[in-house]
Amino acid sequence: MTVRTALAPLLDELERALPAAVDLRRRLHARPCPSGEETETRDTVLAALPARREVTPAAGTGAVVRVGGAGPAVGVRGEMDALAVTERTGVPWASERPGVMHACGHDVHLAAVTALAHAVDRVGGPAPMLVILQPREETYPSGARDMAEDGVLRREQCRAVIGAHVQPLLPAGTVACTPGAVNASSDEFTITVRGEGGHAAYPHRTRDPVVALAHVVVSLQSVVSRGTDPMSPLVLSVTTLAAGTAANVVPGVATARGTLRAMHTGDRERVQSRMTETADLVARAQGCEAEVEFVRGEPVLDNDAGLSAATAPLLDEFGFKVSQDLRSAGSDDFSYFSERMPSLMQFVGTHGGTEQLHSPTFLPSDERVGDVARALLAGYLAAAGCLTVPPAPA
């Protein structure tokens, strides 16, 4: 079956599968599971997938599900975890678990993946499909990293991975399939400044780490503005400060935490080195010592140019307005897949800038399940076409 002959039957079956997918979305939304505890979500989705499937456990609470037969396959990712957010949507199917909510659209993604799996199961397709039920997208250690490093996708002959994420910055009816870097790498850092504490009335007898840390934080602002190419996106954010327990005591230690995000791997490494050097020199100028520790997070998410080019015409055929210029300093561990094989992350519009991800009121309409499913179908067909292209003659 070619991509062109499969398109109409798959699209028809996808439409038939959407009512059940919307029901699944609401059930998942009402019963969110936090990162690392996705067993109930996984089992609910597995029960909703086609009966003809092969299930391989992966990454603890995750699974890879083969639909459509043996051979080289296209992976389609659905992330399962919810966020530590208290929901304020007021819908009858709001979260039943206080302090946990699907505020990033993962319920929509999972329902859409399930609908596509039913379409491929019922009418076949130009390539088998691997449903990637991925845990721990929102926290470290990353579920995608574990799946990529475990080799489960290699063993399942996965040749490409497709994803789609709801995006409130885009209006409904728009899908972005931008080639190249679309999400930044993300690393967390902790700066620890050590001095010598004492009585606040006698600062000359201390080595004040609070003042030293304040100078470090201010100095870090020039690491990006004066140390990197202004045409190369990079964000350094200090987000927490901690020191001391009493107003009249100079503490011995002060700490800061934050994130570093880069769209180019070379900038990532270079700025980490500059941050360490800056913190050390500035702290020593204040009579203190500084140490910088990094927790390495997701790499740059790099969309395959060929997949992007092949997907865009199909999105247009499905009635979407296609954008190819959405890039974000946000991060997604889908990037661990894009490091290893051709991959495509699409962004599916929901609101047009009137809402934001991770908000307690973020609630894409049920219609977005169909939009995400159709975007995934376009990516699946594009990737399958790349798999089935005969090799060039020698």
Side-chain angles (χ1 to χ4, degrees), residues 290-314:
E291 178 185 11
V292 184
E293 295 180 326
F294 291 93
V295 176
R296 197 169 182 85
E298 296 88 347
V300 175
L301 199 170
D302 202 349
N303 273 345
D304 182 82
L307 285 179
S308 174
T311 300
L314 294 171

Side-chain angles (χ1 to χ4, degrees), residues 102 142 145 153 159 165 219 248 257 260 267 276 290 296 303 338-339 393:
H102 273 299
S142 156
R145 186 199 67 180
L153 299 183
R159 298 293 186 263
H165 201 298
S219 296
N248 61 347
R257 298 181 62 224
L260 174 66
D267 289 339
T276 300
R296 197 169 182 85
N303 273 345
S338 74
E339 272 193 322

Side-chain angles (χ1 to χ4, degrees), residues 39-125:
T39 302
E40 180 182 333
T41 297
R42 178 199 63 200
D43 291 347
T44 299
V45 176
L46 287 176
L49 285 169
R52 295 180 297 177
R53 79 288 173 91
E54 300 174 26
V55 180
T56 302
T61 55
V64 175
V65 184
R66 176 175 283 271
V67 177
V74 176
V76 182
R77 193 275 293 263
E79 62 275 60
M80 297 189 294
D81 52 340
L83 286 155
V85 173
T86 298
E87 183 163 354
R88 291 195 290 107
T89 64
V91 296
W93 36 279
S95 172
E96 299 170 1
R97 293 178 168 149
V100 185
M101 177 192 174
H102 273 299
C104 200
H106 295 183
D107 53 331
V108 176
H109 307 161
L110 287 166
V113 170
T114 303
L116 179 56
H118 276 287
V120 172
D121 175 66
R122 289 168 185 164
V123 303

Side-chain angles (χ1 to χ4, degrees), residues 294-384:
F294 291 93
V295 176
R296 197 169 182 85
E298 296 88 347
V300 175
L301 199 170
D302 202 349
N303 273 345
D304 182 82
L307 285 179
S308 174
T311 300
L314 294 171
L315 292 171
D316 182 71
E317 192 168 339
F318 292 169
F320 290 113
K321 179 181 179 181
V322 182
S323 168
Q324 291 196 313
D325 59 3
L326 181 68
R327 304 180 194 278
S328 165
S331 61
D332 191 305
D333 68 357
F334 187 87
S335 56
Y336 287 108
F337 302 136
S338 74
E339 272 193 322
R340 289 166 169 80
M341 66 187 74
S343 300
L344 178 68
M345 172 58 73
Q346 303 170 81
F347 298 103
V348 179
T350 63
H351 290 80
T354 60
E355 186 57 278
Q356 61 178 330
L357 296 168
H358 296 197
S359 162
T361 59
F362 181 67
L363 190 75
S365 74
D366 287 337
E367 293 176 338
R368 304 293 80 79
V369 175
D371 286 352
V372 173
R374 285 183 282 272
L376 291 173
L377 172 60
Y380 160 79
L381 289 171

Side-chain angles (χ1 to χ4, degrees), residues 150-163:
D150 172 72
V152 61
L153 299 183
R154 183 184 67 254
R155 293 191 296 274
E156 288 290 340
Q157 302 182 69
C158 186
R159 298 293 186 263
V161 183
I162 304 299

